[in-house]
Amino acid sequence: MATEPALALSRRDVLLSAGALIVSASTGLVPSPAYGQSAGAGAAAAGSVVELIPSPRELDSWIAILPDGSAEAFFGKIDMGQGLEVAIAQIVADELDMSVEHVTVRMGDTATTCNQGGASGSTGVSLGARPLRNAAAEARRILLERASKALEVPADQLSVANGMISARGASGKTVSYAELIGGKHFDAPVEWNKAVGNFMDVKGQAKPKAQSEYRLVGKSLARRDVPGKILGTTDYVTDVRLPGMLHARMIRPAIAGSTIASVNGDSINNARVVREAEFLAVVAEREWDAVEAARTLQVMWNPPASDPFPGTDALHEHIRGATVVKREEALHKGDPDAAFKAAARIVQAEYLWPLQSHASMGPACALAHVRDGEATVWTGSQKPHSTRDGVAKLLGLPPDKVRGIWVMGPGSYGRNDAGDAALDAAYVSKLTGRPIRLQGMRSDGTAWDPKGTACVHRARAGLDAAGKVVAYEFVSKGLSRVDVMFNESDPRCSLAGMTLGLPLDSGVGLGTPSESYAFGAKVLAWEVVPPLLDRCSPLRTSHLRDPLGPEVHFGSEQFIDEIAAAVKADPVEFRLQYISAPRDAAVVKAAAEKAGWVPRKTAAHSKRSLHAGMLQGRGIAYAQRGDTVVAVIAEIEVYPKDGRIWARRFTVAHDCGLIINPQSLKQTIEGNIVHGLSRTLFEEVQFDRNSVKSVDWASYPILEMRDAPETIDIVLINSTDVPPSGAGEPTMRCVPAAVANAFWDATGVRLRRVPLSPPRVKAALAHI
């Protein structure tokens, strides 16, 4: 177990041994070791809270050369399992002309890294790496200047290899990075563009290398986190222990919207109640005592005036009839009304997406130590800087008196329960005056995490007499994707803030498809309806992996297939007829070629009888996400008797610009496929009129090994003229529609509601 050591080292000791160079005058900080060493051990090195937040205007906030000549990169995002850490190391090592083994990446600690917006939006490489590349290039320039003076050789006559600078043609004239600066600050400024969202960039006088000069970028180097995960030596946030800590559990009402009438503290043993307003928890010296107290605490609740929810089966009808609080047209091209009136034929359909849980591998855990006007929080959140800011606001502390430390948790991919756990732990620590370790049970994580939003998508297309699309409209109506904002930096959007009575600050937004279909008249719009319950709701909606991507494209890409079927066109050929972006067309062609796509204008079911109790089909979907373009072809088997769909093979063509690490990229794409398939076939939050009923793996099933694809073929398109544009989410948005289109190809039946679960499949195919 990781533990919090005493403050035994001075900052000078740390600089000379661990080499943790940060920009501050004298902080008394004991920073954590680099991520590549041990996340848990690093998380436990708390020390006192840093007095100055690292400044993005200083080169030392981004790059350090340690006493042994190795380099450390300070990365303001975190790696959620995509192999991002080794990609950053490759980029930095290339710019510094060092071995990648001699570059470590420190991430997820607000005391040593700048706020780069956390991990989200598939921006780890596309935006996160940019300041590190520029900083490393500037560091190399400065080191060459210093070497020029030391060796008395012009800088343009020097070369660098593995951190050793040599004078070309002058044998013996060498100096190492370690000799020039090891263990000291650069004390050099860099220009800062000021961060906006996930984007933060810096630049110095140096120009980064041209692609032709890369030695490491583009190679499949092994990830550094895998051995520890396989061997069980990696510490997770659940493994962190603090001296004198208490274990805590939050108490939530069984009926959503209830308020506390009374609490009987005498109903529990070996634990005590912590309460302020509607904020209610139990704490104990031993974790099991806290678990038992949470189960047995007697609380009288005031029920809400009316049932807060419509129930799962009535959800989409509720959305259809709900008042629209905001509508936005992302695209309005031509005169759609006139084009629809003149159309010879109208094709239309409606698609339904459910509420879905993050369903992380385990419920969230966080630790907090609030004392003497400062706080330290250990969190598995993907945005530890947001955790710092949220805790600071909740406790009324300056941000520079709060330190957020990321330790690997059970997963995130959006705003799951990790943010709430961190703020809850901090507030319990404030009320008790003790370090707090707070963890939920499985039911807490699955029932009370913010949910991925539910939507109803309306689509229609107008065709002329020749079958050409002359009008197209796609409108998504649903719950806001930011009813709870996308990070925990504002406690008004947390369960802690809501139970303490802070004013609400919900966001309003949804989304539209990302594609390049060039229809003459085209409307893409979204509409948001009010939340089901505005405060302390287990059905709060927020970001889930690739926010709105799978939801929206399940409808839009399935509808493209429906139009193709209506005009008796092959789905691939139909897409290529209307796609206007050359990169998009190239990706679709690459997927079709790799999959051996044979054009056909009717579904396979019309030419194939049920064989061995199984039908086969294939389907395609394509989408953009930012500057990334993906096409996915699914080949499935459908078993009408038991309603099972097995997506046996996927073919993915993927263009995310310049590729840093092909193997990590492929693994990220595979993760997208598996996660997207789980959400397509199985995942739906079940709830009645009072509470969430999906509280475990039985009531919220996810994809298991038997349903995983047999084959995932991947075509990587390395567009070296396009900067890296992200891969953590784009593939997922194509999976649901590709599978649904394959289902139609196999059966001749459209499934327009996710999940494509066995009961729905059996009902749809009852006639077969």
Side-chain angles (χ1 to χ4, degrees):
M1 296 294 182
T3 58
E4 181 185 40
L7 242 181
L9 298 177
S10 70
R11 183 171 181 275
R12 184 176 184 277
D13 292 329
V14 174
L15 288 171
L16 294 175
S17 57
L21 302 179
I22 63 171
V23 178
S24 67
S26 178
T27 65
L29 168 68
V30 180
S32 58
Y35 165 82
Q37 297 174 22
S38 173
S48 66
V49 176
V50 68
E51 297 171 357
L52 294 175
I53 296 173
S55 170
R57 298 181 177 87
E58 297 289 340
L59 181 61
D60 296 297
S61 294
W62 301 98
I63 294 291
I65 301 298
L66 308 188
D68 63 0
S70 64
E72 193 160 35
F74 301 100
F75 185 49
K77 292 179 178 288
I78 58 100
D79 186 348
M80 291 191 295
Q82 282 81 35
L84 181 58
E85 186 261 352
V86 71
I88 298 299
Q90 286 176 255
I91 290 168
V92 170
D94 253 346
E95 292 296 337
L96 286 173
D97 285 319
M98 296 182 67
S99 166
V100 72
E101 290 80 10
H102 292 156
V103 176
T104 57
V105 180
R106 185 189 298 273
M107 63 180 78
D109 188 334
T110 65
T112 58
T113 63
C114 297
N115 185 0
Q116 291 185 259
S120 63
S122 299
T123 59
V125 170
S126 62
L127 298 181
R130 197 177 306 175
L132 271 299
R133 181 185 293 283
N134 292 340
E138 180 67 0
R140 181 182 183 275
R141 182 193 69 80
I142 292 172
L143 289 165
L144 281 172
E145 282 190 354
R146 295 187 181 186
S148 175
K149 293 178 181 178
L151 300 176
E152 298 181 338
V153 175
D156 60 4
Q157 295 180 24
L158 299 175
S159 61
V160 189
N162 295 322
M164 182 69 69
I165 302 175
S166 305
R168 289 191 290 271
S171 178
K173 280 205 166 188
T174 63
V175 64
S176 69
Y177 285 175
E179 292 171 305
L180 289 170
I181 198 174
K184 301 182 181 71
H185 291 106
F186 282 97
D187 288 324
V190 288
E191 294 182 32
W192 177 44
N193 73 325
K194 193 171 183 179
V196 178
N198 280 303
F199 182 68
M200 174 185 280
D201 200 8
V202 299
K203 63 179 181 178
Q205 299 178 40
K207 183 178 180 180
K209 291 182 177 179
Q211 293 176 21
S212 60
E213 300 177 272
Y214 294 160
R215 299 173 300 105
L216 299 167
V217 166
K219 292 185 177 180
S220 294
L221 302 185
R223 287 168 49 170
R224 301 172 177 180
D225 60 331
V226 172
K229 291 177 177 178
I230 293 175
L231 298 174
T233 57
T234 296
D235 285 330
Y236 292 84
V237 68
T238 49
D239 297 315
V240 179
R241 296 292 184 271
L242 307 177
M245 73 179 187
L246 295 173
H247 294 273
R249 288 291 190 277
M250 298 304 301
I251 309 299
R252 314 287 187 202
I255 298 177
S258 297
T259 57
I260 300 171
S262 63
V263 180
N264 181 7
D266 294 332
S267 62
I268 56 176
N269 297 313
N270 303 317
R272 64 187 177 95
V273 173
V274 177
R275 179 190 175 187
E276 183 172 320
E278 299 297 316
F279 184 94
L280 182 62
V282 291
V283 295
E285 298 286 345
R286 299 189 309 164
E287 184 174 17
W288 184 247
D289 289 335
V291 172
E292 285 288 284
R295 292 174 177 171
T296 59
L297 180 66
Q298 295 176 2
V299 183
M300 295 293 293
W301 299 94
N302 297 314
S306 60
D307 293 337
F309 307 135
T312 305
D313 293 340
L315 173 62
H316 293 103
E317 186 61 35
H318 169 84
I319 291 173
R320 289 188 193 99
T323 301
V324 174
V325 297
K326 184 176 181 180
R327 175 186 167 94
E328 185 171 295
E329 289 189 354
L331 176 68
H332 190 117
K333 177 184 176 184
D335 189 345
D337 291 339
F340 275 112
K341 288 179 181 178
R345 181 182 176 189
I346 302 293
V347 179
Q348 56 188 353
E350 182 183 75
Y351 306 90
L352 310 179
W353 192 274
L355 289 163
Q356 292 184 327
S357 170
H358 289 79
S360 300
M361 287 189 294
C365 176
L367 295 91
H369 190 187
V370 180
R371 75 281 187 195
D372 301 328
E374 58 184 39
T376 306
V377 182
W378 292 259
T379 177
S381 166
Q382 65 187 42
K383 297 187 176 183
H385 290 84
S386 295
T387 301
R388 174 200 64 196
D389 295 345
V391 168
K393 293 174 184 175
L394 183 68
L395 302 182
L397 296 174
D400 60 4
K401 291 297 183 182
V402 179
R403 180 180 179 186
I405 304 174
W406 173 73
V407 196
M408 194 176 297
S412 183
Y413 294 131
R415 186 171 177 185
N416 69 349
D417 49 333
D420 283 309
L423 269 64
D424 285 338
Y427 208 77
V428 174
S429 182
K430 173 188 175 181
L431 294 180
T432 60
R434 296 274 296 274
I436 293 294
R437 179 183 180 275
L438 185 146
Q439 182 177 339
M441 306 298 285
R442 163 57 58 195
S443 58
D444 297 313
T446 308
W448 282 91
D449 71 316
K451 305 298 187 289
T453 190
C455 315
V456 174
H457 308 292
R458 309 188 303 269
R460 62 175 179 150
L463 312 177
D464 66 12
K468 179 182 178 181
V469 179
V470 295
Y472 181 87
E473 181 183 56
F474 190 90
V475 181
S476 298
K477 184 179 183 182
L479 300 165
S480 173
R481 72 185 180 99
V482 284
D483 176 45
V484 174
M485 296 301 284
F486 48 83
N487 64 56
E488 59 270 25
S489 62
D490 190 335
R492 293 177 296 178
C493 290
S494 71
L495 286 174
M498 292 179 185
T499 54
L500 290 168
L502 298 185
L504 298 175
D505 187 40
S506 300
V508 179
L510 212 54
T512 56
S514 297
E515 30 81 347
S516 67
Y517 296 118
F519 303 127
K522 184 177 179 181
V523 173
L524 301 177
W526 55 260
E527 300 169 342
V528 168
V529 304
L532 299 177
L533 182 66
D534 66 353
R535 184 180 288 271
C536 300
S537 174
L539 295 179
R540 300 165 296 149
T541 48
S542 190
H543 283 185
L544 185 50
R545 190 178 192 178
D546 187 18
L548 269 298
E551 295 91 321
V552 169
H553 291 91
F554 169 70
S556 66
E557 277 297 292
Q558 193 172 180
F559 187 57
I560 293 295
D561 251 46
E562 296 209 42
I563 304 171
V567 300
K568 294 184 170 53
D570 173 72
V572 171
E573 292 177 350
F574 182 81
R575 283 173 170 80
L576 293 174
Q577 179 183 351
Y578 290 98
I579 286 175
S580 61
R583 283 180 70 210
D584 298 20
V587 167
V588 171
K589 290 175 183 177
E593 180 180 352
K594 181 68 174 179
W597 184 278
V598 178
R600 55 175 177 248
K601 299 181 180 180
T602 57
H605 79 281
S606 64
K607 300 179 181 179
R608 184 183 301 144
S609 60
L610 187 67
H611 176 69
M614 178 264 289
L615 293 164
Q616 295 178 317
R618 65 179 184 182
I620 186 171
Y622 120 89
Q624 306 167 339
R625 194 184 195 284
D627 290 328
T628 297
V629 188
V630 182
V632 172
I633 293 174
E635 298 178 35
I636 72 170
E637 296 177 0
V638 181
Y639 297 84
K641 185 175 181 180
D642 63 6
R644 182 187 179 213
I645 295 175
W646 181 30
R648 183 169 192 161
R649 178 192 180 198
F650 282 94
T651 302
V652 182
H654 194 283
D655 183 348
C656 61
L658 176 67
I659 296 172
I660 306 300
N661 187 313
Q663 185 59 38
S664 290
L665 175 56
K666 287 182 178 180
Q667 292 167 347
T668 297
I669 292 169
E670 291 170 352
N672 268 263
I673 291 289
V674 174
H675 194 178
L677 186 59
S678 180
R679 293 177 66 183
T680 302
L681 299 182
F682 300 105
E683 298 186 36
E684 180 176 26
V685 174
Q686 300 291 328
F687 58 96
D688 60 18
R689 297 180 67 85
N690 294 313
S691 61
V692 173
K693 299 304 177 186
S694 294
V695 295
D696 51 29
W697 297 127
S699 53
Y700 191 83
I702 62 173
L703 181 120
E704 299 179 0
M705 289 297 292
R706 71 184 291 265
D707 297 300
E710 181 179 73
T711 305
I712 301 176
D713 292 324
I714 299 171
V715 181
L716 298 181
I717 300 174
N718 192 10
S719 295
T720 57
D721 58 333
V722 178
S725 53
E729 298 169 292
T731 303
M732 171 176 280
R733 60 180 45 194
C734 298
V735 173
V739 173
N741 289 334
F743 183 86
W744 176 83
D745 186 52
T747 67
V749 176
R750 283 286 171 191
L751 287 181
R752 300 188 179 96
R753 179 176 178 178
V754 164
L756 314 184
S757 59
R760 290 197 180 121
V761 170
K762 290 171 68 175
L765 302 182
H767 63 285
I768 294 181

